[in-house]
Amino acid sequence: MSRFWVRLLARLLLGRRLPITEGRLTVPGLQRPVVIRRDRWGIPHIAAQTDADAWYALGFCQGQDRAFQLELLRRVVRGTLAELLGPPALPIDRLSRRIGFRHTSERQLSAVAPELRALAGAFVQGINAGMRYGLKRRPHELVLLRSRPGKWDLADVLGMVKIMSFSLASNWTSELVRLKVLTEDGPEALRALDPSYPEWHPVTDPPGVEAGPLLDRLAEELERFAALVPAGGSNNWVIAGWRTASGRPILANDPHLDPTLPPYWYLAHLQTPGWAVAGAALIGTPAIAAGHNGFAAWGVTAGLSDNTDLFLEEIGPDGRSVREGERFVPCALRRERIVVRSSQPVEDVVLETPRGPIISPILSGIPWALSLRAVWLDPLPIGGLLRLHQVRSFAEFRQALAEWPQIPLNVVYADVSGTIGWQLAGQVPRRRRGSGLIPQPGWLPGAGWEPDLLPADALPWSENPAAGFIATANNRPRREGDGPFLGADYLDGYRAARIAEALASRSDWDIRSTQALQLDVLSIPWRELRDIVLSIETPNPAANRALALLRDWDGRVTAGSPAASVFECFLAEMCRRVAAAKAPRSANWV
């Protein structure tokens, strides 16, 4: 049967299943009447008379627009995806249960301020009402899976933020790669290949300053580790008014998440008698992560501060304890029963060490017992993005972001008074030993973290810099040695360098030129490598054709450029060969 007939048959059998967007609905949980108007793009514009009703309505719209997406995410948080999808989803459930997204979210509830609990509670009520009353019929996906959406609660919202923290900012994979290279190919291989931030790449503050060396810090950890263990992407920027054609600041944000349908972002506009906000929320959360409230605007990128560590553990003979110094200390055991559709249930036992849960059973090819410690797993107060919709000054903006134990974020700021600013948000641990670049042995005296985190005032920030702009692109925030150590696993600074180069080149920025910069494709790496690559002499005809393409190339990585494809393939192959030459045993991990 052709694809056309399959689609036609599915349409006839299942029909259109769109949300209810016209008329009047009576739903439980609202305090006063709410008006929701949809524009021509389907974006909801919500007018409510109370704060709780505004967030309820946002949840309602998300529930009726994204019911299946929300059901999948709720199950990922709880580790119940295999109950819906069967054995292929079991690895996801095992990871979720072992890390404890839901378990730790339940523990964190008591630390959430009462007014934020009320906000999030109204939002959750709205999600559940949207899925129940905002749809004429169940979404196609749930019909085909013979299932109905389950109820969200407050712990699911916290779990969503923890999942984003785990997937976007945690550097534990980098720690694991370093450990593999070190044990399989030795310290010299790791020194040659470690993806630490190049000292000649720029930092966010001040603009254009180089990062400084980091290798000595890594070398100290390598020496300690080798003596104990046998060998074996997004952009945002803000421009001051004196650099713009209008004399007012311009803020630009381009957060890079996987291009999925539906996307992770949900656009909305909320208005109450006391405040209004418009922008993008992460689906399943009641916070406008990038938006404006009529006075101030803000935008986010991943900050990549190191708030996650792995620890090597020695499990005791009883299987219920881990070594600390010369003795074994008992650990909590958490039993997880995972229901699997069309198969037998699976029982997992999670060992909770004093540092965190043992996660290594879910990692194939890992011979060590590894525990995971993360700021976002701790039961800490949370504010941050949940409070930005009401800020009325840069000081209030910074104060709101002080309590943010989740994904580290570069948050840029601009307001109608002309102030521009930037705050690196996301609380960071104070390590007793090491820098979190490679897993530390958990049994050593002094292993782990101090009880208190770095104070919020210790995190980098900037207000009205002399350069007239601030730009971030997942790059290092400040020079090595300037303030406390925040991590090493930042992305290369090429994007930040290109943005800073462009912003500094003119003082007549407007919306159109700013949008054009968001689509800029100029390659600084090619500018650095051009003379070296074009000096190559080879008898190979194909290589000479490639060099001829590159010789005439303008360095712009456009989709239709054969030369750009040649350069990208060259870079990928060069990286592969360097890894194989320097670390032959662990090259695939590198």
Side-chain angles (χ1 to χ4, degrees):
M1 185 181 295
S2 72
R3 186 174 300 175
F4 168 80
W5 291 110
V6 170
R7 288 203 302 266
L8 180 60
L9 182 61
R11 186 179 303 169
L12 291 173
L13 291 175
L14 297 175
R16 290 165 62 86
R17 293 171 179 263
L18 299 176
I20 301 170
T21 58
E22 295 180 350
R24 183 185 297 268
L25 288 174
T26 301
V27 296
L30 283 177
Q31 299 171 359
R32 306 285 295 276
V34 172
V35 176
I36 302 173
R37 180 180 60 83
R38 300 277 185 153
D39 62 24
R40 61 192 177 101
W41 294 284
I43 297 171
H45 298 256
I46 296 164
Q49 299 177 51
T50 70
D51 291 6
D53 283 353
W55 296 111
Y56 179 106
L58 176 64
F60 185 91
C61 292
Q62 288 192 17
Q64 63 174 174
D65 290 349
R66 306 281 187 88
F68 182 63
Q69 183 185 28
L70 287 166
E71 176 64 9
L72 288 184
L73 292 173
R74 184 185 69 87
R75 287 182 174 275
V76 171
V77 168
R78 297 187 178 206
T80 60
L81 201 58
E83 185 179 12
L84 180 68
L85 302 180
L90 182 58
I92 299 174
D93 285 353
R94 295 189 68 198
L95 183 145
S96 175
R97 301 286 188 101
R98 190 163 286 278
I99 291 176
F101 295 122
R102 171 76 187 188
H103 172 71
T104 57
S105 294
E106 290 172 342
R107 288 194 304 149
Q108 190 177 9
L109 284 174
S110 60
V112 180
E115 73 272 15
L116 296 181
R117 283 177 63 96
L119 177 158
F123 173 77
V124 165
Q125 273 189 291
I127 285 181
N128 295 327
M131 290 191 285
R132 182 172 180 182
Y133 301 104
L135 295 164
K136 293 180 180 178
R137 294 183 289 178
R138 282 179 296 160
H140 296 99
E141 301 94 335
L142 291 176
V143 173
L144 294 170
L145 290 167
R146 302 189 304 280
S147 181
R148 294 184 177 277
K151 282 192 173 183
W152 275 62
D153 62 24
L154 280 174
D156 294 321
V157 174
L158 290 175
M160 261 300 301
V161 183
K162 292 180 189 296
I163 282 178
M164 299 303 292
S165 301
F166 171 76
S167 62
L168 290 181
S170 299
N171 80 321
W172 66 273
T173 51
S174 298
E175 293 184 34
L176 205 54
V177 171
R178 291 190 184 104
L179 183 60
K180 288 283 287 187
V181 174
L182 179 64
T183 55
E184 295 187 7
D185 290 287
E188 291 304 319
L190 185 53
R191 287 190 179 98
L193 295 174
D194 176 66
S196 297
Y197 200 75
E199 61 184 85
W200 66 88
H201 278 200
V203 293
T204 296
D205 181 42
V209 175
E210 295 176 350
L214 185 67
L215 194 59
D216 289 345
R217 183 184 293 272
L218 176 61
E220 292 174 7
E221 294 203 27
L222 293 180
E223 291 172 2
R224 281 200 299 265
F225 186 86
L228 294 167
V229 180
S234 50
N235 315 320
N236 63 13
W237 63 84
V238 61
I239 312 170
W242 65 266
R243 281 197 178 272
T244 70
S246 67
R248 294 177 292 176
I250 296 176
L251 187 147
N253 193 195
D254 185 10
H256 302 160
L257 294 180
D258 293 339
T260 61
L261 284 177
Y264 293 106
W265 294 110
Y266 189 87
L267 303 182
H269 170 209
L270 290 71
Q271 187 168 6
T272 73
W275 53 267
V277 65
L282 281 169
I283 190 68
T285 68
I288 302 299
H292 65 87
N293 63 10
F295 176 85
W298 55 93
V300 297
T301 67
L304 302 184
S305 304
D306 188 358
N307 65 0
T308 306
D309 281 346
L310 292 176
F311 292 91
L312 290 161
E313 304 286 357
E314 184 178 339
I315 299 177
D318 59 358
R320 304 168 62 97
S321 58
V322 293
R323 180 182 161 200
E324 288 199 359
E326 299 302 319
R327 63 192 183 94
F328 287 91
V329 298
C331 297
L333 288 180
R334 179 158 44 89
R335 299 188 180 276
E336 299 285 354
R337 185 176 186 272
I338 304 174
V339 177
V340 183
R341 187 172 190 166
S342 304
S343 187
Q344 294 298 312
V346 172
E347 300 279 349
D348 263 359
V349 177
V350 182
L351 198 65
E352 294 269 8
T353 78
R355 285 152 293 282
I358 298 284
I359 65 163
S360 40
I362 60 175
L363 303 172
S364 61
I366 302 298
W368 314 287
L370 293 169
S371 62
L372 177 73
R373 179 74 195 273
V375 171
W376 41 269
L377 287 178
D378 290 349
L380 297 168
I382 180 173
L385 301 183
L386 298 171
R387 298 188 186 277
L388 292 187
H389 62 285
Q390 295 197 68
V391 299
R392 286 296 183 273
S393 69
F394 184 62
E396 287 185 13
F397 168 81
R398 292 194 60 224
Q399 184 179 4
L401 293 172
E403 287 186 344
W404 186 248
Q406 308 296 335
I407 174 176
L409 296 169
N410 285 302
V411 194
V412 291
Y413 170 96
D415 66 34
V416 297
S417 74
T419 297
I420 66 170
W422 156 70
Q423 174 71 58
L424 179 64
Q427 291 159 274
V428 179
R430 297 196 300 169
R431 296 171 174 87
R432 294 192 178 109
R433 58 183 302 140
S435 301
L437 298 182
I438 54 177
Q440 294 288 312
W443 58 82
L444 291 180
W449 298 353
E450 297 291 351
D452 55 324
L453 305 174
L454 280 175
D457 285 344
L459 298 179
W461 61 281
S462 176
E463 182 179 8
N464 295 326
F469 65 85
I470 305 167
T472 85
N474 315 124
N475 56 298
R476 175 178 292 282
R478 285 191 174 164
R479 296 186 58 163
E480 170 69 5
D482 184 4
F485 179 74
L486 300 175
D489 293 298
Y490 303 97
L491 300 191
D492 289 340
Y494 289 115
R495 285 181 296 130
R498 173 56 184 157
I499 295 167
E501 176 183 79
L503 293 180
S505 68
R506 56 191 292 183
S507 299
D508 61 346
W509 288 96
D510 55 19
I511 297 300
R512 186 178 297 276
S513 57
T514 304
Q515 290 174 327
L517 182 56
Q518 286 186 314
L519 300 176
D520 182 83
V521 291
L522 184 68
S523 171
I524 291 182
W526 171 242
R527 194 162 67 193
E528 293 179 347
L529 292 173
R530 185 180 189 278
D531 291 344
I532 298 171
V533 173
L534 295 183
S535 69
I536 295 172
E537 295 182 2
T538 173
N540 186 300
N544 281 313
R545 286 198 297 273
L547 287 168
L549 286 171
L550 291 174
R551 195 168 286 112
D552 297 330
W553 185 38
D554 62 1
R556 298 186 179 277
V557 190
T558 57
S561 169
S565 296
V566 167
F567 182 59
E568 295 297 334
C569 290
F570 164 73
L571 284 181
E573 179 64 12
M574 182 173 65
C575 291
R576 189 192 67 79
R577 293 191 186 192
V578 169
K582 298 294 185 180
R585 295 181 181 88
S586 56
N588 287 339
W589 282 67
V590 176

